[in-house]
Amino acid sequence: MPGDADLEIEEAFRRAQKAHNNKAKLVASLKTRYNKLEDKSEFHDEFIRCLKYAMIIYTREPAVENVIDFVTKFAASFETPVNEETEEEEEEDDDTEFLNFLFNFLLESHGASSHAVRFRVCQLANKLLGSLSENAQIDDDLCDRIHEAMLVRVTDKYPNVRIQAALAMARLQDPNDSDCPTIKAYILLLENDSNPEVRRAVLSCIAPSAATLSKIYKRTRDVKEKVRKLAYQVLAEKVHIRALSIAQRVSLLHEGLSDSADSVKEVIKTHLLPAWLRLLQGDVLQLLHKLDVENCSETAVTTLHAIFSMATDPDELLQNGIRLDERKLITVDSLTCENVLYWRALCEFVKSKGNEGEELLEKLLPEAAIFAEYLYSYLKSITPLSEEQRADMTQLEMVMTQEFVGQQLILLVGCLDTSEEGGRKRMVAVLQEILVMPNTPTSLIGLLVEKLIGILRDDAQKIQMVAEIISDVREPIFSISEPVDENEKRRKQVRLAEVRVQIMEAKQTLEDCISCQDFSRAAELKDSISQLEELKNQLALEVSQPAENIKEQRVEKSDPETLLKCLTMCAELFKQMNIKRGICPTMNALIESLILPSVSNPNPAVRNMAVICLGTAALHSKDLANTHLVLLLQITQLDEPKIRISALRALIDQLLLNGLNILQEKSAPPTSQAPDSPDNNGQPDQQVEEESTVQGILRMLSEFLDSEICELRTETAEGLAKLMYCGRILSPKMLSRLVLLWYNPVTEDDQRLRHCLGVFLQLYARASRANQERVEESFLPTMRTLFNAPVTSPLSEVDASNVAELFVELTRPSALVQPAAVQAVSVHDSLAVRVCNEILRDVSAPEVRLYCKTLSWLEINTEPGPANNELQLLFKDILQEVKDKYCTRVIEKLRNQLNGDRSKSGSNQDTTLLNLDDNTGEVVNKDETKPKRAKRGQKKASTAKNGKKNSKAELSSDESDEENVPEVPPSVRPSRRAKMASLEKTKQDLTALMNQEANGS
């Protein structure tokens, strides 16, 4: 090739580095030069020589990226459209020759030892395949080779290489093929790759199908915010709503709108919901129908509020969902689950706007009196089902729908304006009447009582009214008829005969008076005769038609349904009343006559509600709690699981409110002193009794943590977490139990338990230094339990190193919400002393290596002081006793730091320590070659961390490569010199390298 041709290629690469140069002109000029050449081989060699300078640079330099773009455009310019017929086949071969040559070069280089070369190979392959038209054709053999090479590179050690390889295979996947290797590779990366950017890259290019949809759906629960956000975007843009099950739709909306990241919530509002509404022609009610609102009403309401918040015109909200008549009501015949829920959600949303929504709220709701009659007429139409009718699913579903609609209408009462006296009184009267009606469903009783109490203003009136309703429901008035007594009937007949005789005598006397012209006497007799005639007619009627004696009498009902209604009203009353008010005589009468007898009722539902009532009432009176505490304790151990859980909740609530002092009046057989009991200034005997009772309750709660009943175990763990967080229980042993329960593989499927404990551990440790000290005290008991766990125990599968990481993170001084003033001894210093003493207990134990590794993670204070001196002595003893090389190196390094080597920050110390052992480096390399999968039951410490990762960042090659992903910030702030060097690096020019090579040759 002539010299000017060499210059032309090199000049093109020089110009391509500059962003302001027109790459299209460079491509056209270089292609013209290429077409004029008969021998293409020298051009190929020179082109590759210039390209290699860019391929050996790993960082995303602007000049290098411009060269890669230029090469991509130049290679893509040789593509021949499929529908364009060429006159000579040789020209077609010439056009594809360079493209095939470049692909062959890339395929030969993809296995290079340099990660920079592998990255650029995959990047070029990705860009080349992406720049080809949709109908482009590639040789089958070449396509297979590209496919095979990228399948190898998606398992590369470096995340950026895996990202580009995954993107390159986007056009090589076949969603219809269940055995497609690309799809399998994508699924493997989505489920196992530890780098979030790799997961995001796969999400962006994976094609939704029956096999991949569930994998995409799972990424909405990814630990990284950006991955979750992209997963929702993919589902919104590529997946039809019909492809998702009802459970998946509800889960997406529930978890997305309640996500901790605002960006994820925004994606739901701006992408997912608008996309679903477009598919349903904007019909919000149809969207609610797709969600099955009867079983997920709260999620549906949250979704509607999100839709309302995006509306620009308030009147549009009223027109799109519901149609109100002139009374501002939905006609009873038109009520459905969807439109009544929309009505309720819209009213609540508008009411939450305050004064801004008053005008629109007036258009949505009628006056309170009108709505009261509307509510009464609908609830009155609900007919209760008999046992035979309940077996018919059609009738059962119809009644359940009616109850749901009634529930939404009752909730609308809270949006009404009840400030007007007449409307408020009418609403109260209607609610009373509805509660007394025998056909009112039990599921609506609690809500009705809540709204009734909310409308009333006086506490005494609330208690009195609810008590009267309970009395009317439990002891309704019945009319009882009694048969007429025969003696009474005979007396009436005799009396009738006497009256007839008196009438005959009076008439005779009247005639005599008239004949004597005694008219005044005759007038009196005439009136007397009229009265006797009326009495005669009445007696004759009673004698001829004897009526039964009807009396009104209250009859007590004891059927389960009636008791359940009364107990539900009672429980709601106790919940709504102020806890400081105490127990009034009326409430005490309800407890004695209704609640306590129902505790022993044979019906489980009645017993459960009675226990709930008793537990709620006990919160109002400490004396009542003391009286019935033993009963609650017995129920927690003897009854059915559901009732035991209710009693346990009542017990936990009582301990949260009154603390363990509530047990001071309870006696029990004296035993050994409980280590976790609070201080008591009473007499020794009383203190022993109290402590034994406390010890018994704590032992019972500890046993519940091992219960086979999942719900009971979860409720106990949640209760203990609340008690410890509020400071009612100060027990490192119990904290150790909770940590082990969190890691235990047995609880792997219990999401509520895992979530509760994960949040608790983080909040508890961050709350105060005293809590961190208790976490420190629980470290060694936890680790000993793991190390001593038998092979048959599930705890043997837990990664002890991961547990140690968790404790280190929880006890960091910087993790506190309000860091304490500088103290001589930090929690990590105390923990280091404990760990050193544990090492010296048995220097040959296999866990010594892990303990030394834990020491390297600690932020030990290097300032001179007693703690520093004690640690130096301990380190000296360890160095004399321990023979393991890794352990001695770590301890030696720590000892040097304590002796005055303080030039490096804590994070740099950790990083250095982790690279001390060659064997550790080998392990890291092994882990980097394939993604790490957690053991069954293994919990990552990051779920309970504050976010600071110093030394652990070096344990993963994925993390070490994060500096090349622009979106991830560096973990350590660079110095000024480093900043200047980085600035010069971004201005790197490939020309100097090319000239140096040319001069050398």
Side-chain angles (χ1 to χ4, degrees):
M1 179 183 291
D4 56 350
D6 296 341
L7 181 63
E8 180 68 24
I9 296 175
E10 195 169 316
E11 181 64 24
F13 272 84
R14 285 197 182 95
R15 294 181 182 179
Q17 298 178 55
K18 309 299 181 182
H20 62 270
N21 281 321
N22 190 332
K23 293 185 176 59
K25 291 183 178 180
L26 291 176
V27 168
S29 175
L30 193 59
K31 188 174 181 180
T32 302
R33 171 69 62 181
Y34 179 81
N35 291 332
K36 292 180 180 179
L37 298 173
E38 295 182 359
D39 184 9
K40 314 292 187 182
S41 59
E42 294 187 13
F43 182 93
H44 293 166
D45 295 341
E46 181 64 17
F47 190 90
I48 294 301
R49 185 186 72 84
C50 296
L51 176 60
K52 286 181 178 179
Y53 292 105
M55 293 180 64
I56 61 175
I57 298 177
Y58 182 62
T59 53
R60 307 296 290 266
E61 302 290 346
V64 179
E65 296 301 316
N66 289 334
V67 168
I68 297 297
D69 291 338
F70 164 70
V71 172
T72 302
K73 291 181 179 180
F74 180 72
S77 67
F78 289 92
E79 178 193 355
T80 303
V82 176
N83 57 356
E84 184 178 304
E85 297 181 359
T86 55
E87 296 181 357
E88 297 183 5
E89 191 173 343
E90 294 181 359
E91 293 183 8
E92 185 175 348
D93 294 339
D94 291 342
D95 288 342
T96 60
E97 181 183 358
F98 181 80
L99 193 59
N100 293 338
F101 167 77
L102 184 58
F103 270 122
N104 287 327
F105 166 74
L106 295 177
L107 294 176
E108 292 172 359
S109 306
H110 85 89
S113 59
S114 170
H115 62 278
V117 175
R118 298 197 304 271
F119 168 66
R120 295 301 176 183
V121 166
C122 294
Q123 183 187 29
L124 278 169
N126 172 33
K127 288 181 174 292
L128 285 172
L129 291 174
S131 62
L132 300 178
S133 61
E134 293 184 3
N135 57 357
Q137 292 185 350
I138 301 179
D139 183 69
D140 291 342
D141 294 338
L142 179 60
C143 184
D144 292 341
R145 290 174 59 201
I146 297 173
H147 199 178
E148 292 173 1
M150 294 301 104
L151 286 173
V152 174
R153 293 278 65 83
V154 291
T155 61
D156 197 274
K157 171 181 173 180
Y158 286 83
N160 280 348
V161 180
R162 300 198 298 273
I163 290 173
Q164 295 300 326
L167 295 174
M169 290 195 300
R171 298 186 66 174
L172 304 177
Q173 60 182 319
D174 185 6
N176 298 322
D177 184 7
S178 58
D179 296 327
C180 176
T182 300
I183 297 295
K184 291 183 177 180
Y186 279 166
I187 292 175
L188 186 66
L189 291 174
L190 279 179
E191 292 182 337
N192 300 307
D193 200 293
S194 60
N195 189 279
E197 295 302 319
V198 176
R199 301 196 296 272
R200 289 182 71 235
V202 174
L203 276 176
S204 66
C205 57
I206 190 172
S209 65
T212 61
L213 181 57
S214 61
K215 311 302 178 184
I216 299 173
Y217 168 76
K218 285 182 180 180
R219 287 306 101 202
T220 59
R221 301 172 180 175
D222 197 278
V223 295
K224 293 296 182 180
E225 170 190 341
K226 294 179 180 179
V227 181
R228 298 197 302 272
K229 178 180 176 182
L230 182 59
Y232 282 111
Q233 290 177 342
V234 171
L235 290 172
E237 297 169 1
K238 299 181 180 180
V239 180
H240 198 284
I241 186 174
R242 293 178 182 174
L244 300 167
S245 65
I246 293 177
Q248 287 176 331
R249 299 168 197 162
V250 173
S251 177
L252 287 174
L253 294 174
H254 173 72
E255 295 175 3
L257 292 173
S258 60
D259 197 282
S260 58
D262 293 335
S263 61
V264 177
K265 297 177 185 177
E266 195 65 23
V267 167
I268 300 294
K269 295 179 181 179
T270 58
H271 288 75
L272 188 65
L273 284 175
W276 284 1
L277 287 174
R278 282 195 300 270
L279 295 171
L280 300 174
Q281 289 75 45
D283 191 346
V284 181
L285 296 183
Q286 186 64 21
L287 175 61
L288 294 178
H289 183 71
K290 298 287 186 184
L291 298 179
D292 188 18
V293 294
E294 290 186 59
N295 297 316
C296 63
S297 58
E298 294 307 316
T299 300
V301 169
T302 307
T303 302
L304 288 173
H305 286 175
I307 295 175
F308 298 154
S309 64
M310 296 185 293
T312 54
D313 186 8
D315 295 331
E316 179 184 350
L317 300 176
L318 182 59
Q319 297 172 359
N320 288 346
I322 54 175
R323 294 182 180 179
L324 303 178
D325 57 15
E326 64 279 358
R327 300 176 301 165
K328 303 176 186 175
L329 297 170
I330 302 177
T331 58
V332 176
D333 297 336
S334 303
L335 281 172
T336 63
C337 296
E338 290 77 23
N339 62 16
V340 73
L341 184 72
Y342 186 95
W343 190 17
R344 168 213 158 187
L346 182 56
C347 291
E348 291 178 346
F349 178 79
V350 174
K351 188 177 179 65
S352 66
K353 297 297 182 182
N355 296 332
E356 299 178 6
E358 285 186 359
E359 182 178 353
L360 181 57
L361 192 61
E362 291 179 357
K363 299 179 182 179
L364 291 171
L365 286 173
E367 296 178 356
I370 297 176
F371 189 84
E373 299 298 334
Y374 175 73
L375 176 64
Y376 178 77
S377 63
Y378 183 82
L379 294 182
K380 192 176 181 180
S381 65
I382 300 178
T383 55
L385 297 179
S386 62
E387 292 299 328
E388 296 179 356
Q389 291 174 329
R390 289 183 179 276
D392 187 357
M393 292 302 299
T394 303
Q395 295 189 21
L396 184 61
E397 289 179 2
M398 181 183 67
V399 171
M400 291 176 65
T401 301
Q402 289 178 334
E403 291 182 10
F404 179 81
V405 173
Q407 180 189 28
Q408 303 308 310
L409 292 178
I410 296 171
L411 288 170
L412 273 171
V413 174
C415 299
L416 294 173
D417 181 12
T418 56
S419 58
E420 193 268 323
E421 185 69 19
R424 183 171 66 254
K425 287 184 177 180
R426 183 56 190 157
M427 178 60 72
V428 170
V430 166
L431 291 176
Q432 282 182 277
E433 192 171 351
I434 292 173
L435 285 167
V436 176
M437 285 193 310
N439 64 326
T440 303
T442 307
S443 60
L444 303 180
I445 295 295
L447 196 56
L448 286 167
V449 175
E450 178 187 344
K451 297 304 175 185
L452 175 63
I453 294 176
I455 295 175
L456 299 174
R457 297 174 180 176
D458 182 59
D459 287 349
Q461 185 184 8
K462 295 176 183 178
I463 297 172
Q464 186 64 30
M465 185 169 291
V466 174
E468 291 176 359
I469 295 173
I470 292 175
S471 177
D472 291 339
V473 172
R474 194 181 183 193
E475 299 179 355
I477 298 176
F478 288 97
S479 298
I480 301 176
S481 60
E482 297 179 356
V484 179
D485 190 3
E486 291 295 331
N487 295 330
E488 182 69 20
K489 183 179 180 181
R490 181 62 181 169
R491 283 194 297 271
K492 289 182 179 180
Q493 290 176 347
V494 172
R495 177 62 179 159
L496 177 60
E498 292 176 354
V499 171
R500 285 175 179 173
V501 172
Q502 291 175 0
I503 291 173
M504 291 175 64
E505 292 177 351
K507 286 182 178 181
Q508 184 63 40
T509 306
L510 178 62
E511 291 177 359
D512 294 342
C513 291
I514 292 174
S515 62
C516 298
Q517 295 184 351
D518 188 356
F519 297 108
S520 60
R521 174 66 176 162
E524 293 177 0
L525 289 173
K526 188 175 181 180
D527 293 338
S528 177
I529 291 171
S530 299
Q531 293 176 1
L532 290 172
E533 287 288 347
E534 291 179 1
L535 180 58
K536 183 192 75 170
N537 293 334
Q538 182 180 356
L539 290 173
L541 182 62
E542 291 178 359
V543 171
S544 61
Q545 298 179 358
E548 293 183 345
N549 188 16
I550 300 176
K551 295 182 179 179
E552 290 186 350
Q553 183 178 352
R554 288 189 177 272
V555 179
E556 182 176 340
K557 299 173 67 177
S558 59
D559 59 288
E561 185 177 359
T562 301
L563 290 176
L564 198 56
K565 286 185 178 181
C566 296
L567 289 169
T568 303
M569 285 188 272
C570 196
E572 195 61 38
L573 174 64
F574 285 128
K575 289 178 184 178
Q576 298 297 327
M577 297 306 298
N578 191 336
I579 200 172
K580 297 180 180 179
R581 196 178 189 280
I583 297 291
C584 66
T586 304
M587 298 169 73
N588 194 47
L590 288 173
I591 295 171
E592 296 294 333
S593 63
L594 176 64
I595 297 176
L596 290 178
S598 299
V599 171
S600 58
N601 192 281
N603 187 278
V606 175
R607 287 204 311 275
N608 184 52
M609 186 55 67
V611 170
I612 294 174
C613 288
L614 182 61
T616 311
L619 297 175
H620 292 258
S621 170
K622 194 171 183 179
D623 294 335
L624 184 67
N626 282 325
T627 303
H628 301 294
L629 186 63
V630 174
L631 176 60
L632 290 175
L633 288 172
Q634 292 174 348
I635 295 173
T636 57
Q637 302 177 69
L638 300 177
D639 217 317
E640 295 184 3
K642 184 177 180 180
I643 304 174
R644 293 175 64 186
I645 291 173
S646 298
L648 178 62
R649 288 174 181 167
L651 178 64
I652 296 296
D653 289 342
Q654 196 59 236
L655 296 178
L656 284 171
L657 180 64
N658 298 312
L660 298 180
N661 295 329
I662 192 68
L663 307 170
Q664 63 187 2
E665 298 181 6
K666 295 294 158 191
S667 61
T671 58
S672 59
Q673 182 176 352
D676 302 322
S677 59
D679 294 336
N680 193 312
N681 297 324
Q683 298 298 325
D685 293 342
Q686 180 182 356
Q687 183 176 2
V688 170
E689 291 177 356
E690 177 190 352
E691 290 176 349
S692 62
T693 306
V694 173
Q695 186 183 41
I697 290 183
L698 292 179
R699 186 186 303 112
M700 180 192 72
L701 296 176
S702 180
E703 291 173 357
F704 286 169
L705 292 178
D706 298 325
S707 173
E708 295 180 357
I709 304 173
C710 177
E711 294 80 7
L712 182 62
R713 181 179 62 213
T714 301
E715 199 66 41
T716 304
E718 186 174 339
L720 286 171
K722 292 177 181 178
L723 290 169
M724 296 186 71
Y725 185 73
C726 295
R728 296 300 189 184
I729 294 179
L730 310 176
S731 172
K733 291 183 179 179
M734 197 63 74
L735 181 62
S736 175
R737 287 294 309 276
L738 293 180
V739 172
L740 292 172
L741 184 65
W742 190 42
Y743 276 94
N744 198 321
V746 174
T747 65
E748 187 173 7
D749 297 329
D750 193 345
Q751 295 184 2
R752 179 187 167 195
L753 174 66
R754 288 282 179 105
H755 178 73
C756 171
L757 292 180
V759 173
F760 159 71
L761 290 173
Q762 182 179 3
L763 295 179
Y764 181 77
R766 295 177 60 192
S768 66
R769 175 186 166 88
N771 289 352
Q772 282 193 337
E773 290 175 354
R774 281 184 279 276
V775 174
E776 173 216 334
E777 292 177 26
S778 65
F779 172 73
L780 287 180
T782 304
M783 301 305 294
R784 289 169 185 165
T785 303
L786 291 176
F787 293 138
N788 298 329
V791 180
T792 56
S793 171
L795 291 177
S796 62
E797 303 177 18
V798 177
D799 182 8
S801 175
N802 193 268
V803 179
E805 281 187 77
L806 172 67
F807 276 94
V808 171
E809 289 299 323
L810 293 178
T811 53
R812 287 194 186 278
S814 56
L816 290 173
V817 176
Q818 294 181 347
V822 179
Q823 299 181 6
V825 181
S826 68
V827 179
H828 273 195
D829 291 343
S830 302
L831 182 58
V833 173
R834 288 179 183 270
V835 173
C836 289
N837 288 323
E838 185 68 15
I839 293 173
L840 291 172
R841 282 183 57 190
D842 184 3
V843 294
S844 61
E847 57 266 21
V848 169
R849 190 179 180 92
L850 176 58
Y851 284 140
C852 291
K853 192 175 183 181
T854 304
L855 287 173
S856 70
W857 295 335
L858 298 175
E859 296 178 1
I860 301 175
N861 187 7
T862 58
E863 297 296 329
N868 189 311
N869 297 333
E870 183 179 5
L871 280 175
Q872 289 199 35
L873 293 175
L874 289 170
F875 288 161
K876 181 180 179 181
D877 294 341
I878 293 173
L879 289 174
Q880 293 176 353
E881 299 290 338
V882 177
K883 305 303 180 183
D884 185 84
K885 291 183 179 180
Y886 171 74
C887 297
T888 55
R889 289 180 182 177
V890 171
I891 300 301
E892 187 65 38
K893 184 66 178 180
L894 288 171
R895 188 182 180 190
N896 292 338
Q897 291 174 1
L898 292 179
N899 286 333
D901 184 9
R902 309 178 195 125
S903 60
K904 297 182 179 180
S905 63
S907 60
N908 290 335
Q909 295 171 4
D910 293 343
T911 303
T912 305
L913 289 174
L914 284 175
N915 293 327
L916 284 174
D917 189 16
D918 297 337
N919 296 331
T920 305
E922 294 174 3
V923 174
V924 169
N925 291 335
K926 288 181 181 179
D927 291 344
E928 288 170 339
T929 58
K930 61 178 182 179
K932 291 189 291 185
R933 296 191 64 177
K935 295 181 180 179
R936 181 174 177 268
Q938 178 178 333
K939 189 77 175 180
K940 288 190 177 294
S942 59
T943 56
K945 292 178 185 174
N946 189 27
K948 285 202 171 186
K949 301 178 181 179
N950 295 327
S951 61
K952 294 179 295 304
E954 297 295 327
L955 288 175
S956 172
S957 63
D958 295 343
E959 295 296 332
S960 65
D961 193 59
E962 286 289 344
E963 63 181 4
N964 301 309
V965 182
E967 295 176 340
V968 180
S971 58
V972 181
R973 185 177 180 181
S975 62
R976 183 176 181 84
R977 180 178 299 178
K979 288 181 179 179
M980 295 300 295
S982 177
L983 183 62
E984 293 296 329
K985 192 176 181 182
T986 58
K987 299 179 180 180
Q988 184 173 2
D989 196 326
L990 300 179
T991 306
L993 290 174
M994 296 166 63
N995 291 337
Q996 181 180 358
E997 174 93 6
N999 295 334
S1001 57

